[in-house]
Amino acid sequence: MHPKKEVAWEAAQLVDDAKKEVAHEAAMMVSDGQVLGLGTGSTAHYFIQKLGDRIKEEEIELMGIPTSYQSFFLARDCGIPLTTLDEHLPDLAVDGADEVDPELNLIKGGGAAHTLEKIVDSAAGKFLVIVDESKQVKRLGDFPVPLEVIPAAYRPVTEWVKSAGGIPSLRMAQMKDGPVITDNNNFVVDVQFKEIHNPHELEIALNSIPGVVENGVFAGITDQALVATSNGVKSFKKG
Ligand code: 5RP
């Protein structure tokens, strides 16, 4: 392997190990009988797999509420019984994030699943976010804020965003021509803001644009964050 490629591969491997470590620690916090919100993304993936292992090895009884087709298929394959918000509210939701600030406000939606993630994570008795330390930031905003947008509203939404100082970009699919289509059949518009000074205000403002179904700012709903660092997993609780 080319030395540069090897360094990049080793770095990616370290991040992946960190995701696995924090996900496994979160899975060990789950108690017998709980209903769990199952997040989406690579960190949540490890959490779901570990829950499946615990069900098999410890014979504990759990139920999961998935936040995407991705977590639905994975949870089913891991033998986690599934339920819905109609039938149960989650005791605990565990999910990854793209950015976490010191007040535990988040940007999510790197996997375009933020609408259902926000519904499930908000409905949970406790919301635990699991990340590696690369996701910790002083202030949100380097990562663009994803908006789930009804396709017919694409043009007016992007005009609104530009007038508010954001730079919108339609998320394009891989291995499919054209835009990403969400689990709810909508577009994703990623919006780069210079700096986000007030996540709560921005979250409300973005959701007030006609045609925006949900945005990826999660202000004030995280109860606890587990962060995988080079010195082990650290816990941060809502202040
Ligand atoms: C999906 C999400 C993910 O939780 C977020 O993108 C983090 O993903 P990963 O754990 O793969 O870094 O919000 O919509």
Side-chain angles (χ1 to χ4, degrees), residues 99 101-102 137-142 195-197:
E99 283 188 348
D101 79 6
V137 294
K138 287 210 176 86
R139 179 177 284 172
L140 300 180
D142 277 350
E195 277 184 333
I196 299 177
H197 290 281

Side-chain angles (χ1 to χ4, degrees), residues 41-127:
S42 53
T43 319
H45 183 107
Y46 288 128
F47 171 74
I48 294 169
Q49 279 183 328
K50 184 70 180 171
L51 282 186
D53 292 347
R54 285 198 63 196
I55 289 174
K56 280 180 215 116
E57 288 158 16
E58 301 173 36
E59 294 181 9
I60 54 174
E61 285 187 17
L62 302 172
M63 277 193 288
I65 302 180
T67 55
S68 61
Y69 285 131
Q70 188 210 38
S71 56
F72 167 80
F73 287 124
L74 177 65
R76 197 196 52 181
D77 291 349
C78 291
I80 301 172
L82 298 175
T83 183
T84 64
L85 289 178
D86 262 353
E87 287 158 300
H88 297 94
L89 291 179
D91 300 296
L92 170 70
V94 179
D95 206 343
D98 300 297
E99 283 188 348
V100 184
D101 79 6
E103 279 77 47
L104 308 189
N105 300 308
L106 314 175
I107 293 182
K108 286 185 50 56
H114 54 280
T115 299
L116 194 50
E117 289 177 324
K118 196 179 283 188
I119 294 168
V120 173
D121 298 345
S122 307
K126 177 176 173 180
F127 174 34

